[in-house]
Amino acid sequence: MNQAPFSIAIHGGAGTILRTNMTPEKEHAYNSALDQALKAGIAVLTEAGTALDAVTAAVTSLENCPLFNAGRGSVFTHDGSHEMDASIMTGHNLESGSVAGVTGVRNPVLLARAVMEKSEHALLASRGAEAFARAMQLPFEDSAYFHNDLRHSQWQEALRDDKIVLDHTEKKFGTVGAVARDIHGNLAASTSTGGMTNKKWGRIGDSPIIGAGTYANNATCAISCTGHGEYFIQSVVAYDISCLMEYKGLTLADACHEVVRKKLVQRGGEGGLIAVDHAGNVCLPFNSEGMYRAWYEAGQQHVAIYR
Ligand code: ASP
């Protein structure tokens, strides 16, 4: 078993990401953005920082990059706005914070963390969550900050076809997340997303739902998911993996295989996840064509996109 002092993994979404649809320039841009976010997390962990600070740093970096469907790069809703979801959880005390359907907040991950640390709640939504963000003096941005021509044309296409589109299933962008194990043996997980293009009626995915899109428990593992949120909610994916380890004694790799390659596939739930266990082992399973991912394990750094 790997006894590395610390480990971290990040993702930028899973979906139909094919080498044939990629240009060398785009591939380079993704690899650099993933590398930068991973390094932001590694910098924290190298200085004996916490897994919580490491996942916060990595997800903030990904939220600030327009390539990914989170923060700045969030997809358009049916109404032409951006409604973002995010969550964060620490494995040593099982505390968590989540926000759902927030608009204008520059870094939803920081708001989720404020919910965890500075409120007595676990999940705040829409206008109330935004009022809390203002009370916490977190930065807001106007709609120009979130505007992106590609996202806009994806939305126009979805509007025309009257479809709600999982952004990275047909295009190549996605939700972001990070999981880490620090040198103190603590685990943490975080996920952030703009959800699905053309979503309406206040649709919320799995990303802010603890146990579905995000989970961390020092006794088992830390997980951040990406994929078709409805399936991930109904399959309680992140907690299911933790439970298979806790109650059935499965290894992280076996638990991930059982849930992502078997259970989710049987239900038709496309996507993947990143995971790290209490010993620092990393696992990055997905049942889609690709998943933007990067990880640091046993002193080695890796970046990958395709299967
Ligand atoms: N899981 C996210 C959602 O359904 C989407 C994604 O992973 O890109 O909101």
Side-chain angles (χ1 to χ4, degrees), residues 18-34 65 67-68 172-173 292 303 305-306:
L18 297 170
R19 207 182 288 271
T20 45
N21 295 337
M22 190 69 88
T23 63
E25 294 74 32
K26 272 204 274 181
E27 196 171 298
H28 178 71
Y30 281 112
N31 285 336
S32 317
L34 289 167
C65 174
L67 288 175
F68 302 104
K172 296 170 290 300
F173 302 92
Y292 295 110
V303 181
I305 298 179
Y306 315 104

Side-chain angles (χ1 to χ4, degrees), residues 118-138:
K118 303 204 169 110
S119 85
E120 54 197 50
H121 307 296
L123 170 60
L124 298 181
S126 59
R127 303 305 81 86
E130 290 156 21
F132 178 68
R134 288 199 179 84
M136 293 293 110
Q137 298 184 322
L138 289 175

